[in-house]
Coordinates of all heavy atoms in Angstrom, one line a residue:
M95 N 0.8 -1.2 0.0 CA 0.0 0.0 0.0 C 0.9 1.2 0.0 O 1.8 1.3 0.8 CB -0.9 0.0 1.2 CG -1.7 1.3 1.4 SD -2.7 1.4 2.8 CE -3.8 0.1 2.6
R96 N 0.6 2.2 -0.9 CA 1.3 3.4 -0.9 C 0.9 4.4 0.2 O -0.3 4.5 0.4 CB 1.2 4.0 -2.3 CG 1.9 3.2 -3.4 CD 1.8 3.9 -4.7 NE 2.3 5.3 -4.7 CZ 3.5 5.6 -5.0 NH1 4.3 4.7 -5.5 NH2 4.0 6.8 -5.0
T97 N 1.8 5.0 0.8 CA 1.4 6.0 1.9 C 1.7 7.4 1.4 O 1.3 8.3 2.1 CB 2.3 5.7 3.1 OG1 3.6 5.9 2.8 CG2 2.0 4.3 3.7
G98 N 2.4 7.6 0.3 CA 2.7 8.9 -0.2 C 4.0 9.5 0.3 O 4.4 10.6 -0.1
N99 N 4.7 8.8 1.2 CA 6.0 9.3 1.7 C 7.2 8.4 1.2 O 8.2 8.5 1.8 CB 6.0 9.4 3.2 CG 5.9 8.0 3.8 OD1 5.7 7.0 3.2 ND2 6.1 7.9 5.1
E100 N 7.0 7.6 0.1 CA 8.0 6.8 -0.4 C 9.3 7.5 -0.7 O 10.4 7.0 -0.4 CB 7.5 5.9 -1.5 CG 6.6 4.8 -1.2 CD 5.2 5.2 -0.9 OE1 4.9 6.4 -1.3 OE2 4.4 4.5 -0.4
P101 N 9.2 8.6 -1.4 CA 10.5 9.3 -1.7 C 11.3 9.8 -0.5 O 12.5 9.9 -0.5 CB 10.1 10.5 -2.6 CG 8.8 10.1 -3.2 CD 8.1 9.3 -2.1
V102 N 10.5 10.0 0.6 CA 11.2 10.5 1.8 C 11.9 9.3 2.5 O 13.0 9.5 3.0 CB 10.1 11.1 2.8 CG1 10.7 11.4 4.1 CG2 9.5 12.3 2.1
T103 N 11.3 8.1 2.5 CA 11.9 7.0 3.2 C 12.6 6.0 2.3 O 13.0 4.9 2.7 CB 10.8 6.3 4.0 OG1 9.8 5.8 3.1 CG2 10.2 7.2 5.0
A104 N 12.7 6.3 1.0 CA 13.3 5.3 0.0 C 14.8 5.1 0.3 O 15.5 6.1 0.7 CB 13.1 5.9 -1.4
R105 N 15.2 3.9 0.2 CA 16.6 3.6 0.4 C 17.1 2.8 -0.9 O 16.4 2.0 -1.4 CB 16.8 2.7 1.6 CG 16.4 3.3 2.9 CD 17.4 4.4 3.3 NE 17.2 4.9 4.6 CZ 16.3 5.8 5.0 NH1 15.5 6.3 4.1 NH2 16.2 6.2 6.2
S106 N 18.4 3.1 -1.3 CA 19.0 2.3 -2.3 C 19.6 1.1 -1.7 O 20.3 1.1 -0.7 CB 20.1 3.2 -3.0 OG 20.7 2.4 -4.0
P107 N 19.4 -0.1 -2.4 CA 20.1 -1.3 -1.9 C 21.6 -1.3 -2.2 O 22.1 -1.9 -3.1 CB 19.4 -2.4 -2.7 CG 18.9 -1.7 -3.9 CD 18.6 -0.3 -3.6
L108 N 22.3 -0.5 -1.4 CA 23.7 -0.3 -1.6 C 24.6 -1.5 -1.5 O 25.5 -1.7 -2.3 CB 24.3 0.8 -0.7 CG 23.7 2.2 -0.9 CD1 24.3 3.2 0.1 CD2 24.1 2.7 -2.3
R109 N 24.2 -2.4 -0.6 CA 25.0 -3.6 -0.5 C 24.8 -4.5 -1.7 O 25.8 -5.1 -2.2 CB 24.7 -4.3 0.8 CG 25.4 -3.6 2.0 CD 25.1 -4.2 3.3 NE 25.8 -3.6 4.4 CZ 25.7 -2.3 4.8 NH1 25.1 -1.4 4.0 NH2 26.3 -1.8 5.8
L110 N 23.6 -4.6 -2.2 CA 23.4 -5.3 -3.4 C 24.1 -4.7 -4.6 O 24.8 -5.4 -5.4 CB 21.9 -5.4 -3.7 CG 21.5 -6.1 -5.0 CD1 21.9 -7.6 -5.0 CD2 20.0 -6.0 -5.3
R111 N 24.1 -3.4 -4.7 CA 24.8 -2.7 -5.8 C 26.3 -2.9 -5.6 O 27.0 -3.1 -6.6 CB 24.6 -1.2 -5.7 CG 23.6 -0.7 -6.8 CD 23.4 0.7 -6.7 NE 24.5 1.5 -7.3 CZ 24.6 2.8 -7.2 NH1 23.7 3.5 -6.5 NH2 25.6 3.4 -7.8
F112 N 26.8 -3.0 -4.4 CA 28.2 -3.2 -4.1 C 28.6 -4.6 -4.7 O 29.6 -4.7 -5.5 CB 28.5 -3.2 -2.6 CG 29.9 -3.7 -2.3 CD1 31.0 -2.8 -2.4 CD2 30.2 -4.9 -1.8 CE1 32.3 -3.2 -2.1 CE2 31.4 -5.4 -1.5 CZ 32.5 -4.5 -1.7
W113 N 27.9 -5.6 -4.4 CA 28.2 -7.0 -4.8 C 28.1 -7.2 -6.3 O 28.9 -7.8 -7.0 CB 27.4 -8.0 -4.0 CG 27.9 -8.1 -2.6 CD1 27.2 -7.7 -1.5 CD2 29.2 -8.6 -2.2 NE1 28.0 -7.9 -0.4 CE2 29.2 -8.4 -0.8 CE3 30.3 -9.1 -2.8 CZ2 30.3 -8.8 0.0 CZ3 31.4 -9.4 -2.0 CH2 31.4 -9.3 -0.6
L114 N 27.0 -6.5 -6.9 CA 26.8 -6.6 -8.3 C 28.0 -5.9 -9.1 O 28.4 -6.3 -10.1 CB 25.5 -6.1 -8.7 CG 24.3 -6.9 -8.3 CD1 23.0 -6.2 -8.7 CD2 24.3 -8.3 -9.1
S115 N 28.4 -4.7 -8.5 CA 29.5 -4.0 -9.2 C 30.8 -4.8 -9.1 O 31.6 -4.8 -10.0 CB 29.7 -2.6 -8.5 OG 28.6 -1.8 -8.7
L116 N 31.0 -5.4 -7.9 CA 32.2 -6.2 -7.8 C 32.2 -7.4 -8.7 O 33.2 -7.7 -9.4 CB 32.3 -6.7 -6.3 CG 33.6 -7.4 -6.0 CD1 34.8 -6.5 -6.1 CD2 33.5 -7.9 -4.5
W117 N 31.1 -8.0 -8.8 CA 30.9 -9.2 -9.8 C 31.2 -8.7 -11.2 O 31.9 -9.3 -12.0 CB 29.5 -9.7 -9.6 CG 29.2 -10.9 -10.5 CD1 28.4 -10.9 -11.6 CD2 29.7 -12.3 -10.3 NE1 28.4 -12.2 -12.1 CE2 29.2 -13.0 -11.3 CE3 30.5 -12.9 -9.4 CZ2 29.4 -14.4 -11.5 CZ3 30.8 -14.2 -9.5 CH2 30.2 -15.0 -10.5
G118 N 30.6 -7.6 -11.6 CA 30.8 -7.0 -12.9 C 32.2 -6.6 -13.2 O 32.8 -6.8 -14.3
L119 N 32.9 -6.0 -12.2 CA 34.3 -5.7 -12.3 C 35.2 -6.9 -12.5 O 36.0 -6.9 -13.4 CB 34.7 -4.9 -11.1 CG 36.2 -4.4 -11.0 CD1 36.5 -3.5 -12.1 CD2 36.5 -3.8 -9.7
L120 N 34.9 -7.9 -11.7 CA 35.7 -9.1 -11.9 C 35.6 -9.8 -13.3 O 36.5 -10.1 -13.9 CB 35.4 -10.1 -10.8 CG 35.8 -9.7 -9.4 CD1 35.2 -10.7 -8.4 CD2 37.3 -9.6 -9.2
W121 N 34.3 -9.9 -13.7 CA 34.1 -10.5 -15.0 C 34.6 -9.6 -16.2 O 35.2 -10.1 -17.1 CB 32.6 -10.8 -15.2 CG 32.2 -12.1 -14.7 CD1 31.5 -12.3 -13.5 CD2 32.4 -13.4 -15.2 NE1 31.4 -13.6 -13.3 CE2 31.9 -14.3 -14.3 CE3 33.0 -13.8 -16.4 CZ2 32.0 -15.7 -14.6 CZ3 33.1 -15.2 -16.6 CH2 32.6 -16.1 -15.7
A122 N 34.5 -8.3 -16.1 CA 34.9 -7.4 -17.1 C 36.5 -7.4 -17.2 O 37.1 -7.5 -18.3 CB 34.4 -6.0 -16.9
A123 N 37.1 -7.5 -16.0 CA 38.6 -7.5 -16.0 C 39.1 -8.8 -16.5 O 40.0 -8.9 -17.3 CB 39.1 -7.3 -14.6
A124 N 38.4 -9.9 -16.2 CA 38.8 -11.2 -16.7 C 38.6 -11.3 -18.2 O 39.4 -11.9 -19.0 CB 38.0 -12.3 -16.0
G125 N 37.5 -10.7 -18.7 CA 37.2 -10.7 -20.1 C 38.2 -9.8 -20.8 O 38.7 -10.2 -21.9
A126 N 38.6 -8.7 -20.3 CA 39.7 -7.9 -20.9 C 41.0 -8.7 -21.0 O 41.6 -8.6 -22.0 CB 39.8 -6.6 -20.1
A127 N 41.3 -9.3 -19.9 CA 42.6 -10.1 -20.0 C 42.5 -11.3 -21.0 O 43.4 -11.5 -21.7 CB 42.9 -10.6 -18.6
A128 N 41.4 -12.0 -21.0 CA 41.2 -13.1 -21.9 C 41.2 -12.7 -23.3 O 41.9 -13.3 -24.2 CB 40.0 -13.9 -21.5
F129 N 40.5 -11.6 -23.6 CA 40.5 -11.1 -25.0 C 41.8 -10.6 -25.4 O 42.2 -10.6 -26.6 CB 39.4 -10.1 -25.2 CG 38.0 -10.7 -25.4 CD1 37.0 -10.4 -24.5 CD2 37.7 -11.6 -26.4 CE1 35.7 -10.9 -24.6 CE2 36.5 -12.2 -26.5 CZ 35.5 -11.9 -25.6
S130 N 42.5 -10.0 -24.5 CA 43.9 -9.4 -24.8 C 44.8 -10.6 -25.2 O 45.6 -10.5 -26.1 CB 44.4 -8.6 -23.6 OG 45.7 -8.2 -23.9
L131 N 44.8 -11.6 -24.4 CA 45.6 -12.8 -24.7 C 45.2 -13.5 -25.9 O 46.1 -14.1 -26.6 CB 45.6 -13.8 -23.5 CG 46.2 -13.3 -22.2 CD1 46.0 -14.3 -21.1 CD2 47.7 -13.1 -22.4
A132 N 43.9 -13.4 -26.3 CA 43.4 -14.1 -27.5 C 43.7 -13.3 -28.8 O 43.4 -13.7 -29.9 CB 42.0 -14.4 -27.4
G133 N 44.2 -12.1 -28.6 CA 44.5 -11.2 -29.7 C 43.3 -10.5 -30.3 O 43.2 -10.2 -31.5
R134 N 42.3 -10.2 -29.5 CA 41.1 -9.5 -29.9 C 41.1 -8.1 -29.2 O 40.5 -7.9 -28.1 CB 39.8 -10.2 -29.4 CG 39.7 -11.6 -30.0 CD 39.2 -11.5 -31.4 NE 38.8 -12.8 -31.9 CZ 38.1 -13.0 -32.9 NH1 37.8 -12.0 -33.7 NH2 37.8 -14.2 -33.3
P135 N 41.8 -7.1 -29.8 CA 41.9 -5.8 -29.1 C 40.6 -5.1 -28.9 O 40.5 -4.3 -28.0 CB 43.0 -5.1 -29.9 CG 42.9 -5.7 -31.3 CD 42.5 -7.2 -31.0
G136 N 39.7 -5.2 -29.9 CA 38.5 -4.5 -29.8 C 37.6 -5.0 -28.6 O 37.1 -4.2 -27.8
W137 N 37.5 -6.3 -28.5 CA 36.8 -6.8 -27.4 C 37.4 -6.6 -26.1 O 36.8 -6.4 -25.0 CB 36.5 -8.3 -27.6 CG 35.5 -8.6 -28.6 CD1 35.7 -9.0 -29.9 CD2 34.1 -8.5 -28.4 NE1 34.5 -9.2 -30.5 CE2 33.5 -8.9 -29.6 CE3 33.3 -8.2 -27.4 CZ2 32.1 -8.9 -29.8 CZ3 31.9 -8.2 -27.5 CH2 31.3 -8.5 -28.7
A138 N 38.8 -6.6 -26.1 CA 39.5 -6.3 -24.8 C 39.3 -4.9 -24.4 O 39.1 -4.6 -23.2 CB 41.0 -6.6 -25.1
A139 N 39.3 -4.0 -25.4 CA 39.0 -2.6 -25.0 C 37.6 -2.4 -24.5 O 37.3 -1.6 -23.6 CB 39.2 -1.7 -26.2
A140 N 36.6 -3.1 -25.1 CA 35.2 -3.0 -24.6 C 35.1 -3.5 -23.2 O 34.4 -2.9 -22.4 CB 34.3 -3.7 -25.6
C141 N 35.7 -4.6 -22.9 CA 35.7 -5.2 -21.6 C 36.4 -4.3 -20.6 O 36.0 -4.1 -19.4 CB 36.3 -6.6 -21.5 SG 35.2 -7.8 -22.3
A142 N 37.5 -3.7 -21.0 CA 38.3 -2.7 -20.1 C 37.4 -1.5 -19.8 O 37.4 -1.0 -18.7 CB 39.6 -2.4 -20.8
A143 N 36.7 -1.0 -20.8 CA 35.8 0.2 -20.6 C 34.7 -0.2 -19.6 O 34.4 0.6 -18.7 CB 35.2 0.7 -21.9
L144 N 34.2 -1.4 -19.8 CA 33.1 -1.9 -18.9 C 33.7 -2.0 -17.5 O 33.0 -1.7 -16.5 CB 32.5 -3.2 -19.4 CG 31.3 -3.7 -18.6 CD1 30.2 -2.7 -18.7 CD2 30.9 -5.0 -19.3
A145 N 34.9 -2.5 -17.4 CA 35.5 -2.7 -16.0 C 35.7 -1.3 -15.4 O 35.6 -1.2 -14.2 CB 36.9 -3.4 -16.2
L146 N 36.1 -0.3 -16.2 CA 36.2 1.1 -15.7 C 34.9 1.6 -15.1 O 34.9 2.2 -14.0 CB 36.8 2.0 -16.7 CG 37.0 3.4 -16.3 CD1 38.1 3.5 -15.2 CD2 37.4 4.3 -17.5
V147 N 33.8 1.4 -15.9 CA 32.5 1.8 -15.4 C 32.1 1.1 -14.1 O 31.6 1.7 -13.2 CB 31.4 1.6 -16.5 CG1 30.0 1.8 -16.0 CG2 31.7 2.5 -17.7
A148 N 32.4 -0.2 -14.0 CA 32.1 -0.9 -12.8 C 32.9 -0.5 -11.6 O 32.4 -0.4 -10.5 CB 32.3 -2.4 -13.1
A149 N 34.2 -0.1 -11.9 CA 35.1 0.4 -10.8 C 34.6 1.7 -10.3 O 34.6 1.9 -9.1 CB 36.5 0.4 -11.3
V150 N 34.2 2.6 -11.2 CA 33.7 3.9 -10.8 C 32.4 3.7 -10.0 O 32.2 4.3 -8.9 CB 33.4 4.8 -12.0 CG1 32.6 6.0 -11.6 CG2 34.8 5.2 -12.6
D151 N 31.5 2.8 -10.4 CA 30.3 2.6 -9.7 C 30.6 2.0 -8.3 O 29.9 2.4 -7.3 CB 29.3 1.6 -10.5 CG 28.0 1.4 -9.8 OD1 27.4 2.4 -9.4 OD2 27.6 0.3 -9.6
L152 N 31.5 1.1 -8.3 CA 31.9 0.5 -7.0 C 32.5 1.6 -6.0 O 32.1 1.6 -4.8 CB 33.0 -0.6 -7.2 CG 33.3 -1.5 -6.1 CD1 32.2 -2.3 -5.6 CD2 34.5 -2.4 -6.5
A153 N 33.2 2.5 -6.5 CA 33.8 3.6 -5.7 C 32.6 4.5 -5.2 O 32.6 4.9 -4.0 CB 34.8 4.4 -6.5
V154 N 31.7 4.8 -6.0 CA 30.5 5.6 -5.6 C 29.7 4.9 -4.5 O 29.3 5.5 -3.5 CB 29.7 6.0 -6.8 CG1 28.3 6.6 -6.4 CG2 30.4 6.9 -7.7
V155 N 29.5 3.6 -4.7 CA 28.7 2.8 -3.7 C 29.4 2.8 -2.4 O 28.8 3.0 -1.4 CB 28.4 1.4 -4.3 CG1 27.8 0.5 -3.2 CG2 27.4 1.5 -5.4
V156 N 30.7 2.5 -2.4 CA 31.5 2.4 -1.2 C 31.5 3.8 -0.5 O 31.3 3.9 0.7 CB 32.9 2.0 -1.5 CG1 33.8 2.2 -0.3 CG2 32.9 0.5 -1.9
R157 N 31.6 4.9 -1.2 CA 31.5 6.2 -0.6 C 30.1 6.4 0.0 O 30.1 7.0 1.2 CB 31.8 7.3 -1.7 CG 31.7 8.7 -1.2 CD 32.1 9.7 -2.2 NE 32.1 11.0 -1.7 CZ 31.2 11.9 -1.9 NH1 30.1 11.5 -2.6 NH2 31.2 13.1 -1.4
H158 N 29.1 6.0 -0.6 CA 27.7 6.2 -0.1 C 27.5 5.3 1.2 O 26.9 5.8 2.1 CB 26.7 5.9 -1.1 CG 26.6 7.0 -2.1 ND1 25.6 7.0 -3.1 CD2 27.3 8.1 -2.4 CE1 25.7 8.0 -3.9 NE2 26.8 8.7 -3.5
I159 N 28.1 4.1 1.2 CA 28.0 3.3 2.3 C 28.7 3.9 3.5 O 28.2 3.9 4.6 CB 28.5 1.8 2.0 CG1 27.5 1.1 1.1 CG2 28.7 1.1 3.3 CD1 28.0 -0.2 0.6
H160 N 29.9 4.5 3.3 CA 30.6 5.1 4.4 C 30.0 6.3 4.9 O 30.3 6.8 6.0 CB 32.1 5.4 3.9 CG 32.9 4.1 3.9 ND1 33.4 3.5 5.0 CD2 33.3 3.4 2.8 CE1 34.1 2.5 4.7 NE2 34.1 2.3 3.3
Q161 N 29.1 7.0 4.1 CA 28.5 8.2 4.6 C 27.4 7.9 5.5 O 26.9 8.8 6.2 CB 27.9 9.0 3.4 CG 29.0 9.7 2.6 CD 28.4 10.4 1.4 OE1 27.4 10.1 0.9 NE2 29.1 11.5 1.0
G162 N 26.9 6.7 5.6 CA 26.0 6.3 6.6 C 24.5 6.4 6.1 O 24.3 6.7 5.0
P163 N 23.6 6.1 7.0 CA 22.2 6.1 6.6 C 21.6 7.4 6.3 O 20.5 7.5 5.7 CB 21.5 5.5 7.8 CG 22.3 5.8 9.0 CD 23.7 5.8 8.4
H164 N 22.2 8.5 6.6 CA 21.6 9.8 6.4 C 22.3 10.5 5.2 O 22.4 11.7 5.2 CB 21.7 10.7 7.6 CG 20.7 10.2 8.7 ND1 19.4 10.4 8.6 CD2 21.0 9.5 9.8 CE1 18.8 9.8 9.6 NE2 19.8 9.3 10.4
Y165 N 22.8 9.7 4.2 CA 23.4 10.3 3.0 C 22.3 11.1 2.3 O 21.2 10.8 2.1 CB 23.8 9.2 2.1 CG 24.0 9.6 0.7 CD1 25.0 10.5 0.3 CD2 23.1 9.2 -0.3 CE1 25.1 10.9 -1.0 CE2 23.2 9.7 -1.6 CZ 24.2 10.5 -2.0 OH 24.4 10.9 -3.2
Q166 N 22.7 12.4 2.0 CA 21.9 13.3 1.2 C 22.5 13.5 -0.1 O 23.7 13.8 -0.2 CB 21.7 14.6 1.9 CG 21.0 14.5 3.3 CD 19.5 14.0 3.1 OE1 18.8 14.4 2.2 NE2 19.2 13.0 3.8
P167 N 21.8 13.4 -1.2 CA 22.4 13.5 -2.6 C 22.9 14.9 -2.9 O 23.6 15.0 -3.9 CB 21.3 13.0 -3.5 CG 20.1 13.1 -2.7 CD 20.4 13.0 -1.3
G168 N 22.5 15.9 -2.2 CA 23.0 17.2 -2.6 C 22.6 18.2 -1.6 O 21.8 18.0 -0.7
P169 N 23.2 19.5 -1.6 CA 22.9 20.5 -0.6 C 21.4 21.0 -0.7 O 20.9 21.5 0.3 CB 23.9 21.6 -0.9 CG 24.3 21.4 -2.3 CD 24.2 19.9 -2.6
G170 N 20.8 20.8 -1.8 CA 19.4 21.3 -2.0 C 18.4 20.4 -1.5 O 17.2 20.7 -1.5
V171 N 18.8 19.2 -1.0 CA 17.8 18.2 -0.5 C 17.7 18.3 1.0 O 18.7 18.1 1.7 CB 18.3 16.8 -1.0 CG1 17.3 15.7 -0.4 CG2 18.4 16.7 -2.5
P172 N 16.6 18.5 1.5 CA 16.4 18.7 2.9 C 16.6 17.3 3.6 O 16.3 16.3 3.0 CB 15.0 19.2 3.1 CG 14.3 18.8 1.9 CD 15.3 18.8 0.8
P173 N 17.0 17.3 4.9 CA 17.1 16.1 5.6 C 15.7 15.5 5.8 O 14.7 16.2 5.9 CB 17.8 16.5 7.0 CG 17.7 17.9 7.0 CD 17.4 18.5 5.7
Y174 N 15.7 14.2 5.9 CA 14.4 13.5 6.1 C 14.3 13.0 7.5 O 15.3 12.8 8.3 CB 14.3 12.3 5.1 CG 15.4 11.3 5.3 CD1 15.3 10.2 6.2 CD2 16.5 11.3 4.5 CE1 16.3 9.3 6.4 CE2 17.5 10.4 4.7 CZ 17.4 9.4 5.6 OH 18.4 8.4 5.8
E175 N 13.1 12.7 7.9 CA 12.8 12.1 9.2 C 12.9 10.6 9.1 O 12.3 10.0 8.1 CB 11.4 12.5 9.7 CG 11.3 13.9 10.1 CD 9.9 14.2 10.7 OE1 9.3 13.3 11.3 OE2 9.4 15.3 10.5
P176 N 13.7 9.9 9.9 CA 13.7 8.5 9.8 C 12.3 7.9 10.1 O 11.5 8.5 10.8 CB 14.6 8.1 11.0 CG 15.4 9.3 11.3 CD 14.5 10.4 11.0
P177 N 12.0 6.7 9.5 CA 10.7 6.1 9.7 C 10.5 5.9 11.2 O 11.4 5.5 11.9 CB 10.7 4.8 9.0 CG 12.0 4.8 8.3 CD 12.8 5.9 8.7
H178 N 9.3 6.1 11.7 CA 8.9 5.9 13.1 C 8.7 4.4 13.3 O 8.1 3.7 12.6 CB 7.6 6.6 13.5 CG 7.8 8.1 13.3 ND1 8.5 8.9 14.1 CD2 7.2 8.9 12.3 CE1 8.5 10.1 13.7 NE2 7.7 10.2 12.6
R179 N 9.3 3.9 14.4 CA 9.2 2.5 14.7 C 8.0 2.2 15.6 O 7.7 3.1 16.5 CB 10.5 2.0 15.4 CG 11.7 2.1 14.5 CD 12.9 1.6 15.3 NE 14.1 1.9 14.4 CZ 15.1 1.0 14.3 NH1 15.1 -0.1 14.9 NH2 16.1 1.3 13.5
A180 N 7.4 1.1 15.4 CA 6.3 0.8 16.3 C 6.8 0.4 17.7 O 7.8 -0.3 17.8 CB 5.5 -0.4 15.7
R181 N 6.1 0.9 18.7 CA 6.5 0.6 20.0 C 5.8 -0.5 20.6 O 4.7 -0.8 20.5 CB 6.4 1.9 20.9 CG 7.3 2.9 20.4 CD 7.1 4.2 21.3 NE 7.9 5.2 20.7 CZ 8.3 6.3 21.3 NH1 8.0 6.5 22.6 NH2 9.0 7.2 20.7

């Protein structure tokens, strides 16, 4: 059921994004190495570019995780109230 406050209490699944980025980084780096050894420079460059994108995403996710639960995406975004817990 929608309550109308979803944007206020929404959370990004950062740990899932962390593991998916790590998985993608490992596969893209392995692909770049394998294609490089196989003599396919185009495919190796494509995998290396994908590895770079995954590494940047991984760095962003780690930074957001270290900022804690009250990460705000910019100075123009007001702080939110944490969800109230049932007593």
Side-chain angles (χ1 to χ4, degrees):
M95 174 184 295
R96 292 183 56 96
T97 61
N99 66 349
E100 286 81 11
V102 174
T103 60
R105 299 289 191 274
S106 174
L108 291 176
R109 285 180 178 50
L110 176 64
R111 257 181 79 190
F112 171 81
W113 290 111
L114 289 174
S115 293
L116 186 63
W117 181 254
L119 177 62
L120 293 175
W121 274 102
F129 282 122
S130 179
L131 291 174
R134 301 280 193 168
W137 284 102
C141 285
L144 187 60
L146 180 64
V147 169
V150 168
D151 184 49
L152 190 62
V154 168
V155 168
V156 167
R157 181 173 181 260
H158 287 188
I159 288 173
H160 284 286
Q161 286 179 333
H164 291 284
Y165 159 72
Q166 296 296 315
V171 177
Y174 60 85
E175 290 184 32
H178 300 289
R179 297 180 187 223
R181 295 180 188 199

